[in-house]
Amino acid sequence: MRPALIAVLFVLSVACVPALCSREEPPVLQPGAPAETRSRFAALDDVRLLANGLLQLGQSLREFVQRTKGQINDILQKLNIFDRSFYQLTVLASEIKEEEEELKKTTVVLKANNEEIKGLSVEINSKVDDILQEKIRLQNKVEGLEKKLSGLLQGLPTSEQVAEINGLRTLIHSQEQSITELLQAVRDQSDQINHQRMKIKNLEEKFTVNTLAQETVERSPDIINVEAPTLIPFLPPSSNSNAEMNLSPDCTELFNRGERVSGVYTIRPNGSEPFMAFCDMNTDHGVTVIQRRRDGYVNFDQTWEKYENGFGHFQGEFWLGLRKIHSLVARGYSVLHIQLEDWKQSKHFIKYRFYLDGPESNYTIHLTHLSGDLPDPMGNHTGMMFSTKDRDNDNHRDVNCAHNYTGGWWFNACGDTNLNGRYFHMRPKGRSERRRGIQWKSAGKASYSFKLSQISVHAGAPPSSTSAAPDTGVFLRSSTNIL
């Protein structure tokens, strides 16, 4: 307001100075001319003109003041809105920080639980191995005692000897019953551990989504780069008996002898060295399992020596070994049974007529499709030699398929199937990563990494009488009783 008032006073002073304040010299009287009288006041028109100018200036100043007030009010309203928004953002940031702290605490707890569960799992596997070895020793003792019993019966045993033999039988039976109960308890504990592990995995996945962290989709154990354990070796009987001569050649023969419980047995196919194998007795004929994948605990990216001799745990994931597989199928006609389950719990299977060459041919595979609801990508792999990361036998000139896609397999160049690939707990986003998983696909289909797989072999009838009856879901029933 002060600058406007000053401007008004300045205009008035400029207007009145020449009209009212000017000093004029008195007129000079000329002789002979009449004297003229001049007025000392401004003309009325000039005053009116000045008044109109002042009125217009005042009106303009009033309008300017009104506009300025309106702009100031708008600025104040915007400042209030900004203050409220800033306050809300501050509150929201505090809440996010609190949630982040809670998530960090939850992550620490989950990691601790996961480490504890891993330790329990390793301890359980060790105990189960000890129990199985003890069971084998007891079976060998039973066989020796049975032979002694036969000798005693032939030599007219006394009543004291009969009582001693009966006592030994009772003791052995009670020990077998205790071992069976202990194995069942270990199975139950393993199921509980697996259930807790799945809960931890689900919580970790939720934590990953909330924090928008880019984690790897492969949730492998910490031992993923460690050499896989060796399978349980065969322990020969302590007594000099011919017990090895009475061993069954495979799990099908054990089934025919009356065995109905899935588990680890000693077999001796075609006069080879005896070895331990897992028998799945949930079928109508009994099968010898040569591969199983279900949780990613065992690393299948192994060397040629490991794939030739076998690795893993019979109670979980394992590969039986190329030497043992060759001895199983060397007797003649065999059936290869492949079972898969995806992450939607859909079960699939496929069967082949199967033969495997020996080490001199790098275990070349020969397959003929029989039946199943899976596509047949292995049709392009028949006649291929086995390859590992340290022995490249595939048909690709410039690439080692086993090294690039991990795991040993009968690669072509490099093919669309590899059931010994990397185990993924979640579906990878990239196509190249998916091809490194447990994949089985036909041409033109997207790569997919399966959740469960089991490969088994059993003696089959000649090709003319082969039955192609479907047999799905077997390994899913047996996998719940693996331990």
Side-chain angles (χ1 to χ4, degrees):
M1 294 297 294
R2 287 184 176 181
L5 183 60
I6 294 172
V8 171
L9 294 177
F10 179 75
V11 171
L12 290 176
S13 62
V14 170
C16 71
V17 165
L20 301 177
C21 302
S22 61
R23 293 182 179 180
E24 297 183 357
E25 294 180 0
V28 179
L29 297 178
Q30 294 180 1
E36 295 181 358
T37 55
R38 293 186 64 181
S39 176
R40 292 182 301 169
F41 300 98
L44 182 59
D45 292 337
D46 294 337
V47 174
R48 288 178 179 176
L49 181 62
L50 179 60
N52 289 332
L54 292 176
L55 288 174
Q56 291 177 0
L57 179 61
Q59 186 67 26
S60 299
L61 290 174
R62 182 181 299 173
E63 292 176 355
F64 174 75
V65 170
Q66 293 297 329
R67 286 196 303 269
T68 304
K69 287 182 178 181
Q71 294 175 355
I72 292 173
N73 290 332
D74 292 339
I75 292 172
L76 292 175
Q77 292 178 358
K78 292 179 179 178
L79 288 175
N80 291 331
I81 294 172
F82 175 77
D83 290 339
R84 288 195 298 270
S85 301
F86 182 76
Y87 175 75
Q88 293 175 355
L89 289 174
T90 304
V91 173
L92 182 59
S94 301
E95 294 177 353
I96 291 174
K97 289 182 178 180
E98 293 176 358
E99 293 179 355
E100 184 179 0
E101 293 296 328
E102 293 179 358
L103 288 174
K104 288 181 179 179
K105 294 178 181 178
T106 304
T107 302
V108 174
V109 174
L110 289 176
K111 289 182 178 179
N113 291 338
N114 194 16
E115 293 297 330
E116 183 178 357
I117 289 173
K118 288 180 180 178
L120 289 174
S121 179
V122 173
E123 183 179 355
I124 288 173
N125 287 333
S126 177
K127 290 182 179 179
V128 170
D129 292 341
D130 295 338
I131 291 170
L132 291 174
Q133 293 179 2
E134 182 65 24
K135 180 181 178 182
I136 294 170
R137 287 193 291 268
L138 288 174
Q139 287 177 347
N140 295 331
K141 290 181 180 179
V142 169
E143 292 173 356
L145 290 173
E146 287 178 351
K147 294 184 179 300
K148 291 180 180 179
L149 178 61
S150 298
L152 289 173
L153 291 175
Q154 294 175 358
L156 297 175
T158 63
S159 59
E160 290 81 4
Q161 290 175 334
V162 172
E164 182 181 358
I165 291 171
N166 291 332
L168 289 174
R169 283 182 174 177
T170 304
L171 177 61
I172 291 171
H173 179 72
S174 63
Q175 288 179 342
E176 288 185 348
Q177 186 67 26
S178 299
I179 291 174
T180 303
E181 293 175 355
L182 182 58
L183 286 174
Q184 184 62 38
V186 172
R187 291 190 189 103
D188 296 339
Q189 189 173 4
S190 177
D191 292 339
Q192 293 178 0
I193 290 175
N194 290 332
H195 183 66
Q196 292 178 355
R197 184 183 295 173
M198 291 302 298
K199 285 185 177 180
I200 290 175
K201 289 177 182 177
N202 292 333
L203 290 174
E204 288 177 347
E205 292 171 5
K206 291 180 181 179
F207 175 74
T208 302
V209 173
N210 290 334
T211 57
L212 299 178
Q214 297 296 326
E215 287 187 352
T216 178
V217 295
E218 177 188 357
R219 295 183 178 274
S220 301
D222 295 337
I223 62 170
I224 192 64
N225 292 322
V226 180
E227 184 178 1
T230 304
L231 289 173
I232 300 174
F234 170 74
L235 297 177
S238 57
S239 61
N240 295 325
S241 64
N242 59 351
E244 293 184 15
M245 302 300 296
N246 296 325
L247 294 175
S248 298
D250 57 13
C251 297
T252 303
E253 180 65 23
L254 285 170
F255 185 91
N256 295 334
R257 292 184 182 182
E259 293 290 346
R260 294 296 185 269
V261 179
S262 298
V264 180
Y265 293 86
T266 304
I267 60 175
R268 187 182 185 184
N270 304 308
S272 65
E273 291 293 328
F275 58 87
M276 310 299 294
F278 187 91
C279 296
D280 184 355
M281 300 300 187
N282 292 316
T283 66
D284 57 355
H285 43 65
V287 296
T288 306
V289 181
I290 64 176
Q291 185 254 38
R292 183 168 58 224
R293 309 290 301 280
R294 66 175 187 174
D295 55 14
Y297 192 80
V298 175
N299 178 20
F300 271 63
D301 189 18
Q302 299 296 324
T303 61
W304 178 270
E305 181 182 1
K306 282 289 187 178
Y307 270 99
E308 193 170 42
N309 298 322
F311 58 88
H313 298 285
F314 283 123
Q315 299 78 26
E317 295 184 323
F318 67 91
W319 172 262
L320 184 61
L322 293 168
R323 290 184 183 274
K324 301 170 186 176
I325 299 172
H326 172 66
S327 65
L328 281 169
V329 301
R331 62 185 176 273
Y333 182 80
S334 299
V335 174
L336 187 72
H337 190 185
I338 297 174
Q339 298 160 276
L340 301 174
E341 179 180 333
D342 59 25
W343 293 93
K344 297 180 181 179
Q345 285 73 48
S346 297
K347 306 166 189 176
H348 310 276
F349 83 102
I350 192 169
K351 290 184 178 181
Y352 294 96
R353 187 163 58 232
F354 172 55
Y355 184 76
L356 190 68
D357 291 339
E360 67 279 0
S361 300
N362 292 320
Y363 303 101
T364 301
I365 192 171
H366 302 277
L367 299 171
T368 302
H369 180 262
L370 294 178
S371 63
D373 59 358
L374 283 169
D376 180 23
M378 285 297 289
N380 295 326
H381 293 252
T382 185
M384 294 305 304
M385 295 182 289
F386 198 85
S387 295
T388 59
K389 60 184 179 181
D390 60 339
R391 185 175 294 191
D392 185 9
N393 294 320
D394 57 59
N395 282 343
H396 205 298
R397 296 182 178 179
D398 302 324
V399 175
N400 184 342
C401 300
H403 176 75
N404 287 358
Y405 294 102
T406 73
W409 194 250
W410 294 274
F411 291 104
N412 191 338
C414 288
D416 296 320
T417 176
N418 178 14
L419 298 185
N420 290 333
R422 186 176 301 170
Y423 190 95
F424 293 109
H425 293 272
M426 297 173 59
R427 184 182 180 186
K429 294 182 179 179
R431 181 173 178 271
S432 60
E433 278 294 307
R434 290 197 298 270
R435 291 195 64 182
R436 292 185 175 92
I438 305 173
Q439 64 161 334
W440 183 282
K441 76 181 189 72
S442 59
K445 300 291 185 179
S447 298
Y448 185 87
S449 182
F450 283 88
K451 177 182 179 182
L452 301 175
S453 74
Q454 177 172 298
I455 308 175
S456 57
V457 64
H458 65 89
S464 58
S465 60
T466 300
S467 173
D471 187 9
T472 59
V474 173
F475 80 110
L476 302 177
R477 294 195 299 271
S478 63
S479 65
T480 59
N481 299 318
I482 292 303
L483 293 177

